[in-house]
Amino acid sequence: SNFFYWMFFWEHDIYGKELPSNISDEDYDQMIRVDSENLDRWRLSTVIGYEQNRLVSYPSSYFHSKYPNKSWKEGREVYVIFYKFKLN
């Protein structure tokens, strides 16, 4: 079966578009265990459609997900790249 992936970026009703660096362990646990299952806490902000060999680069702290939550029979390749940049 043929299907495509989309990358979704979300905004949390308290934290906005990304995980704050100073979040407490308790608040993080609450967000992962409870908020992640409650769509009322989230607003879909950006959808990036499938395109073969597309590179999507974003800060790892951004709230994101993929759709659909399945893969090709052959599997799916994900390359994680860490890089630093300097703002002038």
Side-chain angles (χ1 to χ4, degrees), residues 15 18-28:
Y15 303 114
E18 67 183 303
L19 185 67
S21 60
N22 62 349
I23 191 169
S24 71
D25 290 344
E26 294 79 17
D27 288 340
Y28 180 81

Side-chain angles (χ1 to χ4, degrees), residues 3 36 54 56 73 79:
F3 60 89
S36 64
R54 169 173 273 173
V56 178
K73 182 179 179 182
Y79 299 94

Side-chain angles (χ1 to χ4, degrees), residues 14-45:
I14 295 171
Y15 303 114
K17 67 180 180 178
E18 67 183 303
L19 185 67
S21 60
N22 62 349
I23 191 169
S24 71
D25 290 344
E26 294 79 17
D27 288 340
Y28 180 81
D29 290 346
Q30 166 77 23
M31 187 178 50
I32 294 301
R33 292 188 178 132
V34 179
D35 293 1
S36 64
E37 299 295 329
N38 181 356
L39 283 178
D40 292 335
R41 304 296 314 253
W42 302 93
R43 182 181 73 79
L44 181 61
S45 65

Side-chain angles (χ1 to χ4, degrees), residues 25-83:
D25 290 344
E26 294 79 17
D27 288 340
Y28 180 81
D29 290 346
Q30 166 77 23
M31 187 178 50
I32 294 301
R33 292 188 178 132
V34 179
D35 293 1
S36 64
E37 299 295 329
N38 181 356
L39 283 178
D40 292 335
R41 304 296 314 253
W42 302 93
R43 182 181 73 79
L44 181 61
S45 65
T46 304
V47 176
I48 299 175
Y50 170 86
E51 188 172 315
Q52 187 172 3
N53 295 322
R54 169 173 273 173
L55 171 68
V56 178
S57 178
Y58 55 92
S60 61
S61 59
Y62 279 19
F63 297 119
H64 60 281
S65 67
K66 67 178 177 68
Y67 179 88
N69 194 19
K70 59 182 178 176
S71 188
W72 286 275
K73 182 179 179 182
E74 302 82 20
R76 177 175 163 247
E77 292 182 7
V78 175
Y79 299 94
V80 178
I81 303 167
F82 296 95
Y83 53 90

